[in-house]
């Protein structure tokens, strides 16, 4: 094994290749044996003003509207007519799988008087506006207008729901709101994250009275495991031991379980990370996907205010999972929820701490390089979008 003091995290901006299981496990064993962890190239200082400024918040929303953003897992729209209607970056949208099997995204507003034509989650072949009954097919086309003689010159083919760019990639549905011809946001290219056959077995929406970035930060480092999770994660994981990989503006962080020691005496050809660690994928800018034994969780952080975030949570597992395994999965998620509550408490405390005036900036050290990469990418993307320099 290598005996270097630490591994430096490199930015693989042009690579979507992540390490195979055998290399991840070997790197973890090296860290365990040498009491080390992956380190970033430098620390990062994020101004507290960037969590409190209305102007910065509006710039972040504008960025979310101009990027390809994960809206939901594909399996959340498994059947024709399945839809989800919710706000994204402050804009009401509805995303639906049409009768032809294609997923489409629309601005959720009737073309008559702007009333939303869908709410929540469900299945529909037709969306009917509750105000005056204008009806739209689930491909967005205008189907019918009550008393259409009152609208001389109305061209139904030009008054369908307003469509947005939408695509499915690796088990995820992406939406891009800004369709300006000058917006050249690249389409997402990701490694395989959602296994074939996984389906949504549970979903919920939560709200937390804290800035969305504070919540995101709590998912991207293991430096807090011992202090924050003394009775939950720490007894089964490690203190401040992570493997960090960068791919594009995204990051994968591996949090090993102590059960990984069971692989020490097994042939390397049999090494697998399943059940031995949690991978946390940060899909820039606002999505966290966490893997657990036989399941994964997709969390979309929707900023709805400087001090308020809505979390859309989807739990996915193999559709062939038997009852006993499903019970184990759900029990594991109850355990994970206890850790999530602990994270929530420190995030809320950090939000209150912003108002104390004690700090001009928040400091992210070499152990917290995934957070530094996120803030650097966010700052750069906002600066590029506005045409200003971040130098």
């Amino acid at each position: 094994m290598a005996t270097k003091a630490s591994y430096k995290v490199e930015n693989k901006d042009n690579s979507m290749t992540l390490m195979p299981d055998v290399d991840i496990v070997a790197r973890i064993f090296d860290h365990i044996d040498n009491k080390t962890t992956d380190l970033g190239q430098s620390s990062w200082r994020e101004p507290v003003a960037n969590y409190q400024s209305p102007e910065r918040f509006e710039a972040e929303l504008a960025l979310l509207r101009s990027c390809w953003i994960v809206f939901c897992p594909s399996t959340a729209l498994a059947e024709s007519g399945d839809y989800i209607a919710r706000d994204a970056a402050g804009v009401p949208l509805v995303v639906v799988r049409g009768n032809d099997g294609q997923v489409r995204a629309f601005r959720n507003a009737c073309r008559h008087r702007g009333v939303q034509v869908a709410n929540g989650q469900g299945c529909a072949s037709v969306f009917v506006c509750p105000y005056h009954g204008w009806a739209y097919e689930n491909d967005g086309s205008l189907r019918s207008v009550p008393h259409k003689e009152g609208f001389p010159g109305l061209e139904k083919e030009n008054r369908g729901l307003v469509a947005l760019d939408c695509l499915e990639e690796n088990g995820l549905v992406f939406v891009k709101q800004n369709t300006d011809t000058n917006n050249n946001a690249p389409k997402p290219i990701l490694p395989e994250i959602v296994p074939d056959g996984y389906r949504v077995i549970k979903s919920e929406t939560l709200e937390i009275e804290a800035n969305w970035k504070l919540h995101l930060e709590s998912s991207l480092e293991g430096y807090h495991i011992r202090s924050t999770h003394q009775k939950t994660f720490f007894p089964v994981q490690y203190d401040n031991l992570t493997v960090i990989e960068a791919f594009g503006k995204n990051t994968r962080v591996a949090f090993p379980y102590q059960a990984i020691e069971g692989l020490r005496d097994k042939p390397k050809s049999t090494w697998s990370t399943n059940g031995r660690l949690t991978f946390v994928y940060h899909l820039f800018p606002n999505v966290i996907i966490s893997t657990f034994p036989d399941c994964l969780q997709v969390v979309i952080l929707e900023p709805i205010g400087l001090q308020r975030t809505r979390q859309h949570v989807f739990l996915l597992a193999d559709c062939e999972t038997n009852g006993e395994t499903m019970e184990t999965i759900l029990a594991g998620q109850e355990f994970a929820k206890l850790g999530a509550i602990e994270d929530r408490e420190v995030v809320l405390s950090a939000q209150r701490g912003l108002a104390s005036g004690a700090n001009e900036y928040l400091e992210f050290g070499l152990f917290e390089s995934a957070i530094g990469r996120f803030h650097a990418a966010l700052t750069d993307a906002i600066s590029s979008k506005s045409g200003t320099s971040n130098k």
Side-chain angles (χ1 to χ4, degrees), residues 189 309 385:
I189 302 175
T309 303
K385 189 175 187 304

Side-chain angles (χ1 to χ4, degrees), residues 293-367:
D294 299 311
C295 66
L296 62 81
Q297 185 183 76
V298 178
V299 179
I300 301 166
L301 299 174
E302 188 60 47
I304 53 178
L306 274 171
Q307 302 179 28
R308 192 174 171 207
T309 303
R310 187 170 291 135
Q311 304 170 42
H312 303 285
V313 183
F314 301 88
L315 180 63
L316 283 65
D318 193 326
C319 60
E320 300 298 328
T321 298
N322 59 39
E324 183 177 346
T325 301
M326 186 62 67
E327 288 182 8
T328 301
I329 289 173
L330 295 177
Q333 286 301 299
E334 287 301 312
F335 173 75
K337 184 180 290 186
L338 296 176
I341 291 171
E342 293 167 338
D343 280 329
R344 183 186 184 100
E345 289 305 311
V346 296
V347 168
L348 291 170
S349 182
Q351 179 65 55
R352 293 189 294 269
L354 293 177
S356 71
N359 296 306
E360 183 179 345
Y361 53 81
L362 301 186
E363 181 120 24
F364 301 100
L366 302 182
F367 306 137

Side-chain angles (χ1 to χ4, degrees), residues 247-264:
F247 57 107
K249 294 180 180 179
N250 314 300
T251 304
R252 185 173 78 167
V253 184
F255 295 84
Y257 310 154
Q258 292 183 26
I260 203 165
E261 290 284 0
L263 298 178
R264 290 261 190 192

Side-chain angles (χ1 to χ4, degrees), residues 5 14 58 68 94 109 136 190 231 267 299 333 339 341 360 367:
N14 297 315
E58 289 302 320
W68 286 101
V94 57
Y136 302 85
L190 300 174
K231 296 182 180 180
V299 179
Q333 286 301 299
I341 291 171
E360 183 179 345
F367 306 137

Side-chain angles (χ1 to χ4, degrees), residues 72-80 82-84 95-97 103 173:
C72 66
S74 293
T75 183
L77 305 173
E79 305 294 336
S80 295
D82 285 353
Y83 71 86
I84 295 176
V95 179
V96 58
R97 189 174 297 278
V103 175
V173 174

Side-chain angles (χ1 to χ4, degrees), residues 157-179:
E157 62 273 18
N158 296 324
R159 297 301 291 277
L161 298 175
V162 176
L164 301 173
D165 290 336
C166 182
L167 62 85
E168 289 186 85
E169 186 78 22
N170 290 344
L172 300 169
V173 174
F174 292 80
V175 173
K176 181 163 69 69
Q177 296 188 40
N178 187 338
T179 56

Side-chain angles (χ1 to χ4, degrees), residues 124-364:
S125 59
V126 179
F127 296 112
V128 180
C129 177
Y131 201 2
H132 299 93
W134 285 36
Y136 302 85
E137 303 282 0
N138 60 22
D139 65 0
S141 60
L142 179 59
R143 176 178 182 174
S144 61
V145 175
H147 305 293
K148 62 181 180 179
E149 66 275 8
F151 300 90
L154 175 68
E155 298 177 343
K156 288 174 59 178
E157 62 273 18
N158 296 324
R159 297 301 291 277
L161 298 175
V162 176
L164 301 173
D165 290 336
C166 182
L167 62 85
E168 289 186 85
E169 186 78 22
N170 290 344
L172 300 169
V173 174
F174 292 80
V175 173
K176 181 163 69 69
Q177 296 188 40
N178 187 338
T179 56
D180 293 346
T181 56
N182 292 329
N183 181 9
N184 297 314
K187 291 185 178 180
I189 302 175
L190 300 174
E192 295 293 334
I193 299 176
V194 180
D196 291 340
Y198 268 40
R199 61 181 174 87
V200 174
I201 61 173
K202 184 179 180 181
S203 64
E204 60 181 341
T205 297
L206 310 169
E207 289 194 8
I208 182 171
E209 299 297 322
N211 187 277
W212 69 282
K213 293 173 292 185
L214 293 176
H215 185 87
L216 180 68
E217 291 160 3
S218 71
S219 301
L220 296 180
E221 47 88 1
Y223 183 40
H224 73 290
I225 296 294
R226 179 194 290 269
S227 299
T228 302
H229 303 297
Q230 295 181 28
K231 296 182 180 180
T232 53
F233 298 155
F234 177 60
V236 297
Q237 295 185 354
Y238 295 89
D239 176 41
N240 198 27
L241 195 169
T242 53
V243 172
I244 303 172
E245 300 171 87
F247 57 107
K249 294 180 180 179
N250 314 300
T251 304
R252 185 173 78 167
V253 184
F255 295 84
Y257 310 154
Q258 292 183 26
I260 203 165
E261 290 284 0
L263 298 178
R264 290 261 190 192
D265 299 325
K266 297 184 182 299
K268 285 188 177 181
S269 60
T270 66
W271 283 3
S272 169
T273 59
N274 185 39
R276 309 283 183 171
L277 59 77
T278 284
F279 281 123
V280 171
Y281 294 84
H282 170 219
L283 305 186
F284 182 84
N286 66 327
V287 173
I288 291 290
I289 300 179
S290 303
T291 68
F292 301 98
D294 299 311
C295 66
L296 62 81
Q297 185 183 76
V298 178
V299 179
I300 301 166
L301 299 174
E302 188 60 47
I304 53 178
L306 274 171
Q307 302 179 28
R308 192 174 171 207
T309 303
R310 187 170 291 135
Q311 304 170 42
H312 303 285
V313 183
F314 301 88
L315 180 63
L316 283 65
D318 193 326
C319 60
E320 300 298 328
T321 298
N322 59 39
E324 183 177 346
T325 301
M326 186 62 67
E327 288 182 8
T328 301
I329 289 173
L330 295 177
Q333 286 301 299
E334 287 301 312
F335 173 75
K337 184 180 290 186
L338 296 176
I341 291 171
E342 293 167 338
D343 280 329
R344 183 186 184 100
E345 289 305 311
V346 296
V347 168
L348 291 170
S349 182
Q351 179 65 55
R352 293 189 294 269
L354 293 177
S356 71
N359 296 306
E360 183 179 345
Y361 53 81
L362 301 186
E363 181 120 24
F364 301 100

